[in-house]
Amino acid sequence: MRRRLATLAGAAAVAGAGAAPAVRRAMRARRPPAEDMDRWHAVTVLCPPKEAEARRDTPLAALGDAVEVSVRQAPGERGSEVRARLAPAVAAGDDAGERLEELRTALRETRQVLEIGWVVNADRPTTNRPTPLNAPLRAAIAHGKGRGRP
Amino acid sequence: VKALLWTGVNETSVADVPDPGIQDPEDVIVKVTRTVTCGSDLHLVGGYIPFMQSGDILGHEFLGEVVETGANVNRHRVGDRVVVSSFISCGRCWFCRNELYSACDNGNTNPAITETLWGQAPGGCFGYSHAMGGYQGSHAQYIRVPFADVGAFAVPDDVSDERALFASDSASTGWMGADLGGVKPGDVVAVWGAGAVGQLAARAAMLLGADRVVVIDRYGYRLEATERHVGCETLDYERDDVQAELLERSAGRGPDVCIEAVGMEAHSSGPAYLYDQLKQQLRLQTDRPTAVREAIYACRKGGSVFVLGVFAGVVDKFPLGAVMNKGLTLRSAQMHGQRYIPMLLDRMSKGELVTEYLATHVMPLTEGPQGYEIFKNKEDGNLRTVFLPNG
């Protein structure tokens, strides 16, 4: 993970045309480092832990036994800390990278369901069009919720 | 609907695009009556923020009429005249509840991009690239406004469209710089940049009780507009010794609050500009921080520097030693419009905040590309170009 972040920090340093290849390389699907598979990924949600635990219609709940989930009170009246990690059998699978992206996406969307009530999306239909130049950006957008740092 | 699209680096065009529709229960659809260029758009147009796709709609500062409401919209009805915050914020997350609306946890639909670049993702913004959520911009006849109960505000009857338009972003941003910069009665305040945001930051500082406000720029017509409409002092950095003037005007202390309202494409008259320009063109730094450096150098010991200008990545020769040894407070933010717009509309109603003079060029949206050229090149005394998408 640190290596990928360092790569993208480099991407920031060369924003403009020079950023595109770096972003493309960094966002390319690949198996994350082993420590990411074991790590608890988390979001802080502004709702009581009881409410976070009780909801059964969240994207995180939909992942079922594929993930382990932990909810606890956040400090400083920040609500709940919702943590999740891949179940060991899933983390050992060949598609663990994709499953980890699903987990991260589910964490973000669960926060939206708990705080707002629905999953937020950009405008549809879009008005843009694919070009060779924006292919790296489109690839990054495809992973816009599954990558990053949750 | 017709819209002004970014189609490539320094290329824009007007085209027909699909109508926006209600997607979420707190959406409204707004018929855009006025939408205005912003200096930060130029970073997108020029490719300095490389997260645009060909066909994306530009524009984030606008006003219009509600023509459709989602099922859960409570504060707005069809026919309401509203001004909309440029940042899209949910109103429910911890950041929104603490009035840090542009840091909203739920507004950005592509958070991984900015999390990876900056460590955390800010909220979403209309027409400000896929790094800020990929929302369609306001340079269109109609626009979808998410979380309308949070981000859209009814305009009082006695405030004109021409004036209220600037509450959407530039007045909010300017006010935030003075407010979060900590301007207090009796302060000396210096503002770098005499664009709309800089002028309105200066006006905010005056309304917050500053004793002396000085705005710095190099365009005579912008400085004249500042003196005439804001009523504060100005310095021309190509003619005046800014550091010496600020020391003299603050009796050797330096300004208490320094507000940078320039951003990543700053200019200067010295060799530092050539250095920054070269490094930026070689992609060795993303942003030119000239005005930030000057603000830090000028600021009094223990004073406050607020960065309002938009920056995207990394800069070189940042004077961290001055920040540390002078005990400065350095703050910044994208604009928390929802925090300020109601108060700004009230001040506009009372005549304390006059903004319509900023609309030096008003034209149909079909002339959008020309409007941006005039704005970018600062031709014909342009402060801002306002488009009328629906005539």
Side-chain angles (χ1 to χ4, degrees), chain B residues 53-100:
Chain B
Q53 295 192 61
S54 180
D56 286 337
I57 305 173
L58 290 164
H60 57 263
E61 185 166 15
F62 64 103
L63 166 144
E65 177 190 339
V66 175
V67 295
E68 191 178 354
T69 60
N72 292 357
V73 173
N74 296 314
R75 288 180 48 204
H76 301 293
R77 288 182 298 181
V78 170
D80 280 2
R81 191 165 61 111
V82 293
V83 62
V84 180
S85 170
S86 62
F87 262 78
I88 298 165
S89 311
C90 74
R92 272 85 133 200
C93 69
W94 183 88
F95 295 95
C96 287
R97 291 291 165 91
N98 284 275
E99 295 193 305
L100 302 169

mmCIF file of all heavy atoms in Angstrom, chain B residues 53-100:
data_model
loop_
_atom_site.group_PDB
_atom_site.id
_atom_site.type_symbol
_atom_site.label_atom_id
_atom_site.label_comp_id
_atom_site.label_asym_id
_atom_site.label_seq_id
_atom_site.Cartn_x
_atom_site.Cartn_y
_atom_site.Cartn_z
ATOM 1 N N GLN B 53 -12.736 15.050 -18.603
ATOM 2 C CA GLN B 53 -12.924 14.265 -19.814
ATOM 3 C C GLN B 53 -13.569 15.145 -20.874
ATOM 4 O O GLN B 53 -14.389 16.026 -20.550
ATOM 5 C CB GLN B 53 -13.838 13.066 -19.552
ATOM 6 C CG GLN B 53 -13.253 12.053 -18.599
ATOM 7 C CD GLN B 53 -14.060 10.757 -18.599
ATOM 8 O OE1 GLN B 53 -14.179 10.087 -19.607
ATOM 9 N NE2 GLN B 53 -14.620 10.425 -17.452
ATOM 10 N N SER B 54 -13.225 14.887 -22.122
ATOM 11 C CA SER B 54 -13.821 15.659 -23.200
ATOM 12 C C SER B 54 -15.344 15.515 -23.157
ATOM 13 O O SER B 54 -15.868 14.402 -23.138
ATOM 14 C CB SER B 54 -13.296 15.154 -24.549
ATOM 15 O OG SER B 54 -13.873 15.903 -25.594
ATOM 16 N N GLY B 55 -16.023 16.655 -23.102
ATOM 17 C CA GLY B 55 -17.481 16.640 -23.020
ATOM 18 C C GLY B 55 -18.020 16.978 -21.649
ATOM 19 O O GLY B 55 -19.234 17.114 -21.480
ATOM 20 N N ASP B 56 -17.158 17.114 -20.655
ATOM 21 C CA ASP B 56 -17.623 17.524 -19.330
ATOM 22 C C ASP B 56 -18.114 18.969 -19.362
ATOM 23 O O ASP B 56 -17.504 19.834 -20.008
ATOM 24 C CB ASP B 56 -16.481 17.402 -18.303
ATOM 25 C CG ASP B 56 -16.170 15.960 -17.932
ATOM 26 O OD1 ASP B 56 -17.049 15.098 -18.094
ATOM 27 O OD2 ASP B 56 -15.036 15.706 -17.482
ATOM 28 N N ILE B 57 -19.189 19.238 -18.636
ATOM 29 C CA ILE B 57 -19.757 20.590 -18.592
ATOM 30 C C ILE B 57 -19.033 21.411 -17.536
ATOM 31 O O ILE B 57 -18.879 20.972 -16.397
ATOM 32 C CB ILE B 57 -21.268 20.550 -18.271
ATOM 33 C CG1 ILE B 57 -22.002 19.652 -19.276
ATOM 34 C CG2 ILE B 57 -21.860 21.951 -18.283
ATOM 35 C CD1 ILE B 57 -23.470 19.427 -18.922
ATOM 36 N N LEU B 58 -18.607 22.603 -17.912
ATOM 37 C CA LEU B 58 -17.929 23.518 -16.986
ATOM 38 C C LEU B 58 -18.941 24.326 -16.165
ATOM 39 O O LEU B 58 -20.115 24.389 -16.501
ATOM 40 C CB LEU B 58 -17.038 24.477 -17.779
ATOM 41 C CG LEU B 58 -15.795 23.880 -18.429
ATOM 42 C CD1 LEU B 58 -15.243 24.841 -19.483
ATOM 43 C CD2 LEU B 58 -14.733 23.577 -17.371
ATOM 44 N N GLY B 59 -18.439 24.996 -15.131
ATOM 45 C CA GLY B 59 -19.248 25.956 -14.384
ATOM 46 C C GLY B 59 -19.677 25.474 -13.017
ATOM 47 O O GLY B 59 -20.122 24.325 -12.864
ATOM 48 N N HIS B 60 -19.502 26.335 -11.988
ATOM 49 C CA HIS B 60 -19.899 25.939 -10.638
ATOM 50 C C HIS B 60 -20.517 27.077 -9.840
ATOM 51 O O HIS B 60 -20.849 26.901 -8.682
ATOM 52 C CB HIS B 60 -18.689 25.375 -9.874
ATOM 53 C CG HIS B 60 -17.518 26.313 -9.789
ATOM 54 N ND1 HIS B 60 -16.458 26.248 -10.657
ATOM 55 C CD2 HIS B 60 -17.267 27.335 -8.958
ATOM 56 C CE1 HIS B 60 -15.587 27.187 -10.345
ATOM 57 N NE2 HIS B 60 -16.059 27.872 -9.311
ATOM 58 N N GLU B 61 -20.654 28.248 -10.418
ATOM 59 C CA GLU B 61 -21.179 29.403 -9.678
ATOM 60 C C GLU B 61 -22.423 29.879 -10.412
ATOM 61 O O GLU B 61 -22.321 30.434 -11.509
ATOM 62 C CB GLU B 61 -20.101 30.503 -9.628
ATOM 63 C CG GLU B 61 -20.493 31.692 -8.784
ATOM 64 C CD GLU B 61 -19.303 32.595 -8.461
ATOM 65 O OE1 GLU B 61 -18.247 32.459 -9.109
ATOM 66 O OE2 GLU B 61 -19.435 33.448 -7.569
ATOM 67 N N PHE B 62 -23.613 29.676 -9.809
ATOM 68 C CA PHE B 62 -24.819 29.900 -10.603
ATOM 69 C C PHE B 62 -26.044 30.187 -9.738
ATOM 70 O O PHE B 62 -26.038 29.985 -8.521
ATOM 71 C CB PHE B 62 -25.098 28.697 -11.502
ATOM 72 C CG PHE B 62 -25.413 27.411 -10.775
ATOM 73 C CD1 PHE B 62 -26.715 26.939 -10.685
ATOM 74 C CD2 PHE B 62 -24.406 26.657 -10.177
ATOM 75 C CE1 PHE B 62 -27.011 25.750 -10.027
ATOM 76 C CE2 PHE B 62 -24.689 25.471 -9.509
ATOM 77 C CZ PHE B 62 -25.988 25.022 -9.435
ATOM 78 N N LEU B 63 -27.076 30.607 -10.459
ATOM 79 C CA LEU B 63 -28.352 30.953 -9.847
ATOM 80 C C LEU B 63 -29.442 30.575 -10.846
ATOM 81 O O LEU B 63 -29.210 30.584 -12.056
ATOM 82 C CB LEU B 63 -28.348 32.457 -9.566
ATOM 83 C CG LEU B 63 -29.610 33.197 -9.227
ATOM 84 C CD1 LEU B 63 -29.283 34.278 -8.194
ATOM 85 C CD2 LEU B 63 -30.172 33.886 -10.472
ATOM 86 N N GLY B 64 -30.611 30.220 -10.362
ATOM 87 C CA GLY B 64 -31.662 29.842 -11.295
ATOM 88 C C GLY B 64 -32.992 29.637 -10.615
ATOM 89 O O GLY B 64 -33.208 30.051 -9.471
ATOM 90 N N GLU B 65 -33.884 28.953 -11.335
ATOM 91 C CA GLU B 65 -35.255 28.737 -10.875
ATOM 92 C C GLU B 65 -35.495 27.239 -10.734
ATOM 93 O O GLU B 65 -35.185 26.468 -11.643
ATOM 94 C CB GLU B 65 -36.231 29.326 -11.900
ATOM 95 C CG GLU B 65 -37.687 29.093 -11.570
ATOM 96 C CD GLU B 65 -38.591 29.479 -12.735
ATOM 97 O OE1 GLU B 65 -38.151 30.261 -13.602
ATOM 98 O OE2 GLU B 65 -39.727 28.975 -12.780
ATOM 99 N N VAL B 66 -36.070 26.839 -9.613
ATOM 100 C CA VAL B 66 -36.393 25.431 -9.403
ATOM 101 C C VAL B 66 -37.551 25.051 -10.325
ATOM 102 O O VAL B 66 -38.600 25.693 -10.322
ATOM 103 C CB VAL B 66 -36.779 25.177 -7.928
ATOM 104 C CG1 VAL B 66 -37.247 23.734 -7.739
ATOM 105 C CG2 VAL B 66 -35.605 25.489 -7.012
ATOM 106 N N VAL B 67 -37.344 23.987 -11.119
ATOM 107 C CA VAL B 67 -38.407 23.545 -12.027
ATOM 108 C C VAL B 67 -38.902 22.133 -11.704
ATOM 109 O O VAL B 67 -39.911 21.695 -12.248
ATOM 110 C CB VAL B 67 -37.947 23.615 -13.509
ATOM 111 C CG1 VAL B 67 -37.688 25.048 -13.922
ATOM 112 C CG2 VAL B 67 -36.723 22.738 -13.747
ATOM 113 N N GLU B 68 -38.193 21.420 -10.841
ATOM 114 C CA GLU B 68 -38.622 20.080 -10.460
ATOM 115 C C GLU B 68 -37.992 19.755 -9.114
ATOM 116 O O GLU B 68 -36.850 20.145 -8.856
ATOM 117 C CB GLU B 68 -38.172 19.063 -11.520
ATOM 118 C CG GLU B 68 -38.780 17.675 -11.354
ATOM 119 C CD GLU B 68 -38.333 16.712 -12.465
ATOM 120 O OE1 GLU B 68 -37.651 17.170 -13.418
ATOM 121 O OE2 GLU B 68 -38.665 15.518 -12.369
ATOM 122 N N THR B 69 -38.729 19.044 -8.270
ATOM 123 C CA THR B 69 -38.188 18.700 -6.946
ATOM 124 C C THR B 69 -38.312 17.202 -6.703
ATOM 125 O O THR B 69 -39.275 16.565 -7.137
ATOM 126 C CB THR B 69 -38.939 19.437 -5.819
ATOM 127 O OG1 THR B 69 -40.312 19.063 -5.859
ATOM 128 C CG2 THR B 69 -38.818 20.937 -5.954
ATOM 129 N N GLY B 70 -37.338 16.645 -5.985
ATOM 130 C CA GLY B 70 -37.394 15.250 -5.573
ATOM 131 C C GLY B 70 -38.369 15.059 -4.419
ATOM 132 O O GLY B 70 -38.808 16.027 -3.791
ATOM 133 N N ALA B 71 -38.652 13.802 -4.130
ATOM 134 C CA ALA B 71 -39.711 13.477 -3.161
ATOM 135 C C ALA B 71 -39.406 13.979 -1.753
ATOM 136 O O ALA B 71 -40.329 14.285 -1.000
ATOM 137 C CB ALA B 71 -39.919 11.961 -3.136
ATOM 138 N N ASN B 72 -38.134 14.072 -1.389
ATOM 139 C CA ASN B 72 -37.796 14.448 -0.005
ATOM 140 C C ASN B 72 -37.314 15.887 0.134
ATOM 141 O O ASN B 72 -36.699 16.237 1.138
ATOM 142 C CB ASN B 72 -36.714 13.512 0.543
ATOM 143 C CG ASN B 72 -37.216 12.103 0.727
ATOM 144 O OD1 ASN B 72 -38.392 11.817 0.496
ATOM 145 N ND2 ASN B 72 -36.329 11.203 1.116
ATOM 146 N N VAL B 73 -37.552 16.707 -0.861
ATOM 147 C CA VAL B 73 -37.132 18.110 -0.770
ATOM 148 C C VAL B 73 -38.183 18.886 0.016
ATOM 149 O O VAL B 73 -39.374 18.856 -0.314
ATOM 150 C CB VAL B 73 -36.951 18.727 -2.178
ATOM 151 C CG1 VAL B 73 -36.683 20.229 -2.082
ATOM 152 C CG2 VAL B 73 -35.816 18.028 -2.918
ATOM 153 N N ASN B 74 -37.736 19.555 1.078
ATOM 154 C CA ASN B 74 -38.676 20.249 1.960
ATOM 155 C C ASN B 74 -38.577 21.761 1.880
ATOM 156 O O ASN B 74 -39.552 22.464 2.119
ATOM 157 C CB ASN B 74 -38.427 19.824 3.420
ATOM 158 C CG ASN B 74 -38.715 18.348 3.624
ATOM 159 O OD1 ASN B 74 -39.739 17.835 3.165
ATOM 160 N ND2 ASN B 74 -37.799 17.651 4.283
ATOM 161 N N ARG B 75 -37.399 22.281 1.557
ATOM 162 C CA ARG B 75 -37.191 23.735 1.646
ATOM 163 C C ARG B 75 -37.450 24.472 0.339
ATOM 164 O O ARG B 75 -37.386 25.690 0.308
ATOM 165 C CB ARG B 75 -35.754 24.018 2.099
ATOM 166 C CG ARG B 75 -35.506 23.678 3.568
ATOM 167 C CD ARG B 75 -34.070 23.972 3.950
ATOM 168 N NE ARG B 75 -33.657 25.293 3.497
ATOM 169 C CZ ARG B 75 -32.392 25.667 3.265
ATOM 170 N NH1 ARG B 75 -31.428 24.791 3.425
ATOM 171 N NH2 ARG B 75 -32.109 26.874 2.876
ATOM 172 N N HIS B 76 -37.697 23.745 -0.728
ATOM 173 C CA HIS B 76 -37.846 24.407 -2.030
ATOM 174 C C HIS B 76 -39.066 23.894 -2.766
ATOM 175 O O HIS B 76 -39.438 22.730 -2.637
ATOM 176 C CB HIS B 76 -36.588 24.171 -2.881
ATOM 177 C CG HIS B 76 -35.342 24.688 -2.245
ATOM 178 N ND1 HIS B 76 -35.103 26.026 -2.050
ATOM 179 C CD2 HIS B 76 -34.283 24.035 -1.710
ATOM 180 C CE1 HIS B 76 -33.938 26.180 -1.436
ATOM 181 N NE2 HIS B 76 -33.428 24.981 -1.214
ATOM 182 N N ARG B 77 -39.634 24.810 -3.543
ATOM 183 C CA ARG B 77 -40.770 24.454 -4.377
ATOM 184 C C ARG B 77 -40.510 24.915 -5.798
ATOM 185 O O ARG B 77 -39.673 25.808 -6.031
ATOM 186 C CB ARG B 77 -42.046 25.127 -3.850
ATOM 187 C CG ARG B 77 -42.541 24.519 -2.552
ATOM 188 C CD ARG B 77 -43.815 25.171 -2.088
ATOM 189 N NE ARG B 77 -43.619 26.603 -1.808
ATOM 190 C CZ ARG B 77 -44.567 27.410 -1.360
ATOM 191 N NH1 ARG B 77 -45.778 26.955 -1.179
ATOM 192 N NH2 ARG B 77 -44.307 28.679 -1.117
ATOM 193 N N VAL B 78 -41.248 24.341 -6.723
ATOM 194 C CA VAL B 78 -41.127 24.763 -8.116
ATOM 195 C C VAL B 78 -41.415 26.259 -8.206
ATOM 196 O O VAL B 78 -42.375 26.759 -7.605
ATOM 197 C CB VAL B 78 -42.107 23.960 -9.004
ATOM 198 C CG1 VAL B 78 -42.176 24.568 -10.406
ATOM 199 C CG2 VAL B 78 -41.675 22.504 -9.076
ATOM 200 N N GLY B 79 -40.557 26.964 -8.908
ATOM 201 C CA GLY B 79 -40.718 28.405 -9.057
ATOM 202 C C GLY B 79 -39.802 29.216 -8.167
ATOM 203 O O GLY B 79 -39.617 30.414 -8.378
ATOM 204 N N ASP B 80 -39.198 28.568 -7.141
ATOM 205 C CA ASP B 80 -38.286 29.296 -6.250
ATOM 206 C C ASP B 80 -37.069 29.791 -7.024
ATOM 207 O O ASP B 80 -36.527 29.086 -7.879
ATOM 208 C CB ASP B 80 -37.785 28.378 -5.128
ATOM 209 C CG ASP B 80 -38.779 28.225 -4.002
ATOM 210 O OD1 ASP B 80 -39.881 28.800 -4.100
ATOM 211 O OD2 ASP B 80 -38.455 27.508 -3.022
ATOM 212 N N ARG B 81 -36.642 31.009 -6.677
ATOM 213 C CA ARG B 81 -35.387 31.550 -7.225
ATOM 214 C C ARG B 81 -34.294 31.194 -6.226
ATOM 215 O O ARG B 81 -34.368 31.594 -5.057
ATOM 216 C CB ARG B 81 -35.531 33.063 -7.379
ATOM 217 C CG ARG B 81 -34.436 33.736 -8.176
ATOM 218 C CD ARG B 81 -34.878 35.146 -8.555
ATOM 219 N NE ARG B 81 -35.136 35.970 -7.393
ATOM 220 C CZ ARG B 81 -34.388 37.013 -7.019
ATOM 221 N NH1 ARG B 81 -33.337 37.353 -7.735
ATOM 222 N NH2 ARG B 81 -34.715 37.723 -5.960
ATOM 223 N N VAL B 82 -33.309 30.438 -6.665
ATOM 224 C CA VAL B 82 -32.298 29.947 -5.720
ATOM 225 C C VAL B 82 -30.886 30.237 -6.218
ATOM 226 O O VAL B 82 -30.614 30.258 -7.420
ATOM 227 C CB VAL B 82 -32.428 28.420 -5.475
ATOM 228 C CG1 VAL B 82 -33.720 28.097 -4.750
ATOM 229 C CG2 VAL B 82 -32.310 27.625 -6.773
ATOM 230 N N VAL B 83 -29.996 30.458 -5.253
ATOM 231 C CA VAL B 83 -28.566 30.480 -5.534
ATOM 232 C C VAL B 83 -27.994 29.234 -4.863
ATOM 233 O O VAL B 83 -28.439 28.845 -3.783
ATOM 234 C CB VAL B 83 -27.908 31.792 -5.023
ATOM 235 C CG1 VAL B 83 -28.030 31.935 -3.509
ATOM 236 C CG2 VAL B 83 -26.459 31.869 -5.457
ATOM 237 N N VAL B 84 -27.026 28.610 -5.538
ATOM 238 C CA VAL B 84 -26.577 27.276 -5.132
ATOM 239 C C VAL B 84 -25.089 27.314 -4.796
ATOM 240 O O VAL B 84 -24.285 27.854 -5.559
ATOM 241 C CB VAL B 84 -26.843 26.253 -6.254
ATOM 242 C CG1 VAL B 84 -26.380 24.860 -5.840
ATOM 243 C CG2 VAL B 84 -28.319 26.234 -6.625
ATOM 244 N N SER B 85 -24.745 26.714 -3.679
ATOM 245 C CA SER B 85 -23.325 26.595 -3.311
ATOM 246 C C SER B 85 -22.596 25.726 -4.332
ATOM 247 O O SER B 85 -23.109 24.691 -4.763
ATOM 248 C CB SER B 85 -23.207 25.959 -1.924
ATOM 249 O OG SER B 85 -21.852 25.636 -1.659
ATOM 250 N N SER B 86 -21.393 26.133 -4.675
ATOM 251 C CA SER B 86 -20.649 25.373 -5.688
ATOM 252 C C SER B 86 -20.244 23.999 -5.177
ATOM 253 O O SER B 86 -20.125 23.054 -5.953
ATOM 254 C CB SER B 86 -19.404 26.151 -6.124
ATOM 255 O OG SER B 86 -18.538 26.351 -5.031
ATOM 256 N N PHE B 87 -20.042 23.852 -3.868
ATOM 257 C CA PHE B 87 -19.695 22.540 -3.320
ATOM 258 C C PHE B 87 -20.955 21.779 -2.927
ATOM 259 O O PHE B 87 -21.908 22.346 -2.409
ATOM 260 C CB PHE B 87 -18.723 22.668 -2.134
ATOM 261 C CG PHE B 87 -17.306 22.429 -2.572
ATOM 262 C CD1 PHE B 87 -16.607 23.413 -3.237
ATOM 263 C CD2 PHE B 87 -16.689 21.199 -2.390
ATOM 264 C CE1 PHE B 87 -15.318 23.188 -3.709
ATOM 265 C CE2 PHE B 87 -15.403 20.958 -2.851
ATOM 266 C CZ PHE B 87 -14.709 21.947 -3.511
ATOM 267 N N ILE B 88 -20.920 20.484 -3.185
ATOM 268 C CA ILE B 88 -22.066 19.604 -2.971
ATOM 269 C C ILE B 88 -21.831 18.843 -1.672
ATOM 270 O O ILE B 88 -20.883 18.060 -1.567
ATOM 271 C CB ILE B 88 -22.211 18.635 -4.158
ATOM 272 C CG1 ILE B 88 -22.481 19.431 -5.444
ATOM 273 C CG2 ILE B 88 -23.306 17.613 -3.903
ATOM 274 C CD1 ILE B 88 -22.292 18.628 -6.718
ATOM 275 N N SER B 89 -22.684 19.080 -0.705
ATOM 276 C CA SER B 89 -22.457 18.560 0.645
ATOM 277 C C SER B 89 -23.728 17.926 1.173
ATOM 278 O O SER B 89 -24.820 18.456 0.960
ATOM 279 C CB SER B 89 -22.013 19.693 1.574
ATOM 280 O OG SER B 89 -20.960 20.428 0.964
ATOM 281 N N CYS B 90 -23.574 16.822 1.891
ATOM 282 C CA CYS B 90 -24.744 16.034 2.305
ATOM 283 C C CYS B 90 -25.500 16.661 3.461
ATOM 284 O O CYS B 90 -26.688 16.416 3.641
ATOM 285 C CB CYS B 90 -24.321 14.616 2.646
ATOM 286 S SG CYS B 90 -23.439 14.458 4.234
ATOM 287 N N GLY B 91 -24.778 17.404 4.312
ATOM 288 C CA GLY B 91 -25.431 18.016 5.465
ATOM 289 C C GLY B 91 -25.538 17.103 6.672
ATOM 290 O O GLY B 91 -25.988 17.537 7.733
ATOM 291 N N ARG B 92 -25.155 15.829 6.528
ATOM 292 C CA ARG B 92 -25.335 14.883 7.647
ATOM 293 C C ARG B 92 -24.048 14.351 8.221
ATOM 294 O O ARG B 92 -24.042 13.841 9.342
ATOM 295 C CB ARG B 92 -26.140 13.663 7.186
ATOM 296 C CG ARG B 92 -27.607 13.812 7.299
ATOM 297 C CD ARG B 92 -28.153 14.500 6.085
ATOM 298 N NE ARG B 92 -29.311 13.824 5.544
ATOM 299 C CZ ARG B 92 -29.750 13.984 4.314
ATOM 300 N NH1 ARG B 92 -29.114 14.777 3.490
ATOM 301 N NH2 ARG B 92 -30.817 13.353 3.903
ATOM 302 N N CYS B 93 -22.964 14.358 7.482
ATOM 303 C CA CYS B 93 -21.729 13.753 7.985
ATOM 304 C C CYS B 93 -21.102 14.674 9.050
ATOM 305 O O CYS B 93 -21.529 15.808 9.253
ATOM 306 C CB CYS B 93 -20.749 13.520 6.833
ATOM 307 S SG CYS B 93 -20.071 15.024 6.104
ATOM 308 N N TRP B 94 -20.075 14.160 9.709
ATOM 309 C CA TRP B 94 -19.444 14.920 10.794
ATOM 310 C C TRP B 94 -18.900 16.257 10.271
ATOM 311 O O TRP B 94 -18.991 17.283 10.955
ATOM 312 C CB TRP B 94 -18.310 14.080 11.396
ATOM 313 C CG TRP B 94 -17.630 14.722 12.566
ATOM 314 C CD1 TRP B 94 -17.994 14.631 13.874
ATOM 315 C CD2 TRP B 94 -16.476 15.574 12.520
ATOM 316 N NE1 TRP B 94 -17.138 15.369 14.646
ATOM 317 C CE2 TRP B 94 -16.196 15.954 13.856
ATOM 318 C CE3 TRP B 94 -15.662 16.046 11.496
ATOM 319 C CZ2 TRP B 94 -15.121 16.792 14.179
ATOM 320 C CZ3 TRP B 94 -14.595 16.878 11.809
ATOM 321 C CH2 TRP B 94 -14.334 17.243 13.137
ATOM 322 N N PHE B 95 -18.350 16.243 9.084
ATOM 323 C CA PHE B 95 -17.771 17.477 8.544
ATOM 324 C C PHE B 95 -18.857 18.520 8.276
ATOM 325 O O PHE B 95 -18.697 19.708 8.599
ATOM 326 C CB PHE B 95 -16.968 17.165 7.272
ATOM 327 C CG PHE B 95 -15.771 16.306 7.557
ATOM 328 C CD1 PHE B 95 -15.844 14.934 7.418
ATOM 329 C CD2 PHE B 95 -14.594 16.860 8.019
ATOM 330 C CE1 PHE B 95 -14.753 14.124 7.718
ATOM 331 C CE2 PHE B 95 -13.500 16.066 8.323
ATOM 332 C CZ PHE B 95 -13.581 14.691 8.172
ATOM 333 N N CYS B 96 -19.954 18.105 7.674
ATOM 334 C CA CYS B 96 -21.041 19.060 7.427
ATOM 335 C C CYS B 96 -21.617 19.579 8.748
ATOM 336 O O CYS B 96 -21.903 20.771 8.881
ATOM 337 C CB CYS B 96 -22.145 18.401 6.602
ATOM 338 S SG CYS B 96 -21.718 18.122 4.871
ATOM 339 N N ARG B 97 -21.769 18.672 9.724
ATOM 340 C CA ARG B 97 -22.325 19.105 11.023
ATOM 341 C C ARG B 97 -21.389 20.076 11.738
ATOM 342 O O ARG B 97 -21.798 20.800 12.631
ATOM 343 C CB ARG B 97 -22.599 17.889 11.900
ATOM 344 C CG ARG B 97 -23.741 17.031 11.388
ATOM 345 C CD ARG B 97 -25.072 17.753 11.528
ATOM 346 N NE ARG B 97 -26.134 17.133 10.749
ATOM 347 C CZ ARG B 97 -26.948 16.196 11.204
ATOM 348 N NH1 ARG B 97 -26.821 15.778 12.440
ATOM 349 N NH2 ARG B 97 -27.896 15.696 10.436
ATOM 350 N N ASN B 98 -20.124 20.083 11.345
ATOM 351 C CA ASN B 98 -19.164 21.031 11.906
ATOM 352 C C ASN B 98 -18.872 22.179 10.952
ATOM 353 O O ASN B 98 -17.845 22.858 11.072
ATOM 354 C CB ASN B 98 -17.879 20.299 12.300
ATOM 355 C CG ASN B 98 -18.050 19.518 13.585
ATOM 356 O OD1 ASN B 98 -17.901 20.051 14.675
ATOM 357 N ND2 ASN B 98 -18.421 18.253 13.464
ATOM 358 N N GLU B 99 -19.768 22.372 9.998
ATOM 359 C CA GLU B 99 -19.714 23.492 9.042
ATOM 360 C C GLU B 99 -18.471 23.477 8.163
ATOM 361 O O GLU B 99 -18.045 24.506 7.673
ATOM 362 C CB GLU B 99 -19.841 24.842 9.762
ATOM 363 C CG GLU B 99 -21.193 25.024 10.437
ATOM 364 C CD GLU B 99 -21.417 26.453 10.873
ATOM 365 O OE1 GLU B 99 -20.555 26.987 11.611
ATOM 366 O OE2 GLU B 99 -22.423 27.043 10.450
ATOM 367 N N LEU B 100 -17.888 22.294 7.985
ATOM 368 C CA LEU B 100 -16.766 22.140 7.060
ATOM 369 C C LEU B 100 -17.322 21.503 5.785
ATOM 370 O O LEU B 100 -16.951 20.401 5.392
ATOM 371 C CB LEU B 100 -15.674 21.273 7.692
ATOM 372 C CG LEU B 100 -15.111 21.803 9.012
ATOM 373 C CD1 LEU B 100 -14.233 20.753 9.686
ATOM 374 C CD2 LEU B 100 -14.311 23.079 8.774
#
